[in-house]
Amino acid sequence: QVQLVESGGGSVQPGESLRLSCAASGRIVSINAMGWYRQAPGKQRELVAMLTRGGSTNYADSVKGRFTISRDSAKNTVYLQMDSLKPEDTAIYYCNAYLTPLSGWSSNYWGQGTQVTVSS
């Protein structure tokens, strides 16, 4: 069974940095795209950053220039380096992967979420 396990959330002050990690485990044939969404209280879940198998990236306008997505393909792991954090970045961050498992068709998988709080 495929699992996405996130780590690295926490509480920081404005201007500080955090690095999130997400590792995909299980019988995986290929990972087509992997990235991060976030959901703040009372708001819809939104895309933060996505990295495709071919190396293309997509960032939300609100995080461009501050967040960087990267990966370690050998470890099926994606990272989100978050710099110059702002209070409006406070949310639960969810790892997302569109992948092909050994046992079935390509589909979306989600992590359990990790809390990021930015407050002075």
Side-chain angles (χ1 to χ4, degrees), residues 24 28-34 52-53 71 76-77 97-100:
I28 299 169
V29 173
S30 64
I31 298 176
N32 303 306
M34 200 165 176
T52 70
R53 184 180 181 184
R71 68 184 171 196
N76 285 342
T77 299
Y98 185 72
L99 59 83
T100 307

Side-chain angles (χ1 to χ4, degrees), residues 57-70:
T57 57
N58 186 25
Y59 292 95
D61 287 342
S62 59
V63 307
K64 284 180 181 177
R66 299 189 298 121
F67 291 10
T68 304
I69 190 169
S70 61

Side-chain angles (χ1 to χ4, degrees), residues 79-119:
Y79 306 97
L80 186 67
Q81 178 66 41
M82 304 186 293
D83 298 322
S84 303
L85 281 160
K86 303 176 181 180
E88 50 263 43
D89 294 317
T90 296
I92 300 174
Y93 284 69
Y94 295 92
C95 180
N96 171 267
Y98 185 72
L99 59 83
T100 307
L102 185 64
S103 60
W105 301 101
S106 299
S107 58
N108 258 320
Y109 291 81
W110 293 91
Q112 79 283 359
T114 186
Q115 178 70 46
V116 171
T117 302
V118 185
S119 174

Side-chain angles (χ1 to χ4, degrees), residues 7-19:
S7 61
S11 296
V12 297
Q13 295 188 343
E16 294 185 340
S17 299
L18 279 174
R19 188 191 193 210

